[in-house]
């Protein structure tokens, strides 16, 4: 069955969906995105993704392409039309197609944003086998721009980071700036030491993860101690355990950093517990 995708007001088979070669998303990476997980046909943390999308658009002076209600309606329609049980919905908004290449932004009164959404089916994604064994990360320098709080489609360096990890026999990379870990290529990074969960505080240096917000809330509700501060790779290598969070991986245990095994080299109890709590609680509030 061909996937049905959404482009600027239309639901189309993926092969018929097109965007102009002059679209600023294509020419300038002038766009933002969101990834929302779907479990059991329902959207996880939808309100959080909606709020962050609105913020990303505002920071870049891109008009909202539709209302919040319409956005929810499109997500639900895509879930229904593609019979999606478990997976993700990818959403992208760009500054649109000015009909030519120009560095200056087009007039928003005449050039409307481009809105694209599509589904990615991942049956059984909540039972991912890698979550049971944990993953390996390497550290790389963070050379991205200074507004990582905006979820832009400028993903070349994160893609290069994943390739560097792959080449080194690892699964992902944690990025380091001024000696401290910022975040993973597509996730927020955490270590656990003496029962304390340590993760970098929010700023323009990292994406304000929707999963991060939920996981920290659940951790505090479960009386776990959370310390929001930067940490180094050396500190991470000495940690009892480590993990990362993202909408697509939920809570993912990390068992090796730059070749050093953490704990006994298997997922730690805090990461495992937080994964369970996150999945359980976010399923309850899924819409
Ligand atoms: N990535 N940090 C970065 C750089 C990210 O790209 C992401 C998400 C996160 C976690 O944010 P959230 O919990 O809201 O998913 C942190 C998505 C999943 C992606 O690019 O596919």
């Amino acid at each position: 069955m061909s996937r049905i995708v959404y482009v600027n007001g239309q639901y189309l088979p993926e092969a018929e969906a097109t965007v102009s070669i002059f679209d600023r998303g294509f020419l300038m990476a002038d766009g933002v995105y969101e990834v929302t997980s779907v479990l059991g046909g329902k959207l996880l943390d939808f309100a959080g993704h909606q709020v962050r999308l609105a913020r990303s658009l505002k920071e870049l002076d891109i008009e909202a392409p539709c209302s919040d209600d319409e956005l929810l309606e499109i997500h639900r329609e895509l879930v229904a039309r593609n019979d999606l049980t478990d997976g993700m919905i990818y959403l992208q908004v760009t500054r649109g197609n000015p009909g030519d290449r120009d560095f200056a932004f087009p007039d928003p009164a005449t050039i409307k944003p481009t809105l694209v959404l599509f589904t990615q089916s991942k049956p059984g994604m909540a039972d991912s086998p890698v979550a049971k064994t944990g993953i390996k990360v390497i550290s790389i320098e963070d050379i991205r721009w200074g507004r990582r709080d905006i979820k832009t489609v400028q993903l070349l360096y994160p893609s290069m980071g994943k390739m560097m990890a792959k080449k080194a026999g690892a699964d992902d990379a944690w990025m380091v700036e001024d000696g401290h870990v910022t975040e993973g290529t597509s996730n927020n990074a955490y270590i656990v030491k003496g029962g304390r969960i340590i993760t970098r505080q929010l700023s323009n240096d990292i994406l304000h993860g929707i999963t991060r917000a939920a996981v920290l809330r659940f951790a505090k509700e479960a009386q776990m101690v959370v310390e929001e501060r930067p940490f180094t790779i050396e500190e991470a290598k000495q940690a009892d355990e480590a993990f990362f969070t993202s909408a697509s991986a939920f809570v993912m245990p990390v068992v090796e950093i730059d070749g050093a095994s953490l704990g006994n080299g298997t997922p730690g109890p805090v990461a495992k517990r937080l994964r369970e709590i996150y999945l359980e609680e976010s399923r309850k509030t899924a819409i």
Side-chain angles (χ1 to χ4, degrees), residues 19-32 62 90 92-98 113-114 152-155:
V19 172
S20 165
I21 62 159
F22 298 117
D23 194 278
R24 285 183 61 93
F26 179 62
L27 294 181
M28 307 279 186
D30 185 357
V32 301
I62 300 177
Y90 176 87
Q92 181 168 331
V93 184
T94 77
R95 203 179 303 274
N97 160 30
T114 298
T152 75
V153 295
Q154 301 171 53
L155 296 178

Side-chain angles (χ1 to χ4, degrees), residues 2-19 64-67 69-79 81-82 89-93 113-119:
S2 163
R3 215 176 353 186
I4 301 295
V5 305
Y6 177 94
V7 187
N8 293 329
Q10 288 187 292
Y11 293 93
L12 297 167
E14 61 182 49
E16 291 168 32
T18 56
V19 172
C66 61
S67 72
D69 286 349
E70 283 165 333
L71 213 53
L72 176 58
E73 174 60 31
I74 299 166
H75 278 77
R76 285 183 160 158
E77 192 63 32
L78 282 178
V79 169
R81 289 190 189 224
N82 292 287
I89 299 197
Y90 176 87
L91 167 156
Q92 181 168 331
V93 184
T114 298
L115 175 61
V116 168
L117 288 93
F118 56 83
T119 54

Side-chain angles (χ1 to χ4, degrees), residues 11-64:
Y11 293 93
L12 297 167
E14 61 182 49
E16 291 168 32
T18 56
V19 172
S20 165
I21 62 159
F22 298 117
D23 194 278
R24 285 183 61 93
F26 179 62
L27 294 181
M28 307 279 186
D30 185 357
V32 301
Y33 76 107
E34 282 296 330
V35 176
T36 303
S37 275
V38 174
L39 286 181
K42 288 186 172 176
L43 303 157
L44 265 57
D45 282 332
F46 186 73
H49 290 286
Q50 205 161 42
V51 168
R52 185 173 62 192
L53 173 67
R55 180 179 181 276
S56 293
L57 291 170
K58 187 161 167 282
E59 292 296 313
L60 296 178
D61 254 331
I62 300 177
E63 251 179 44

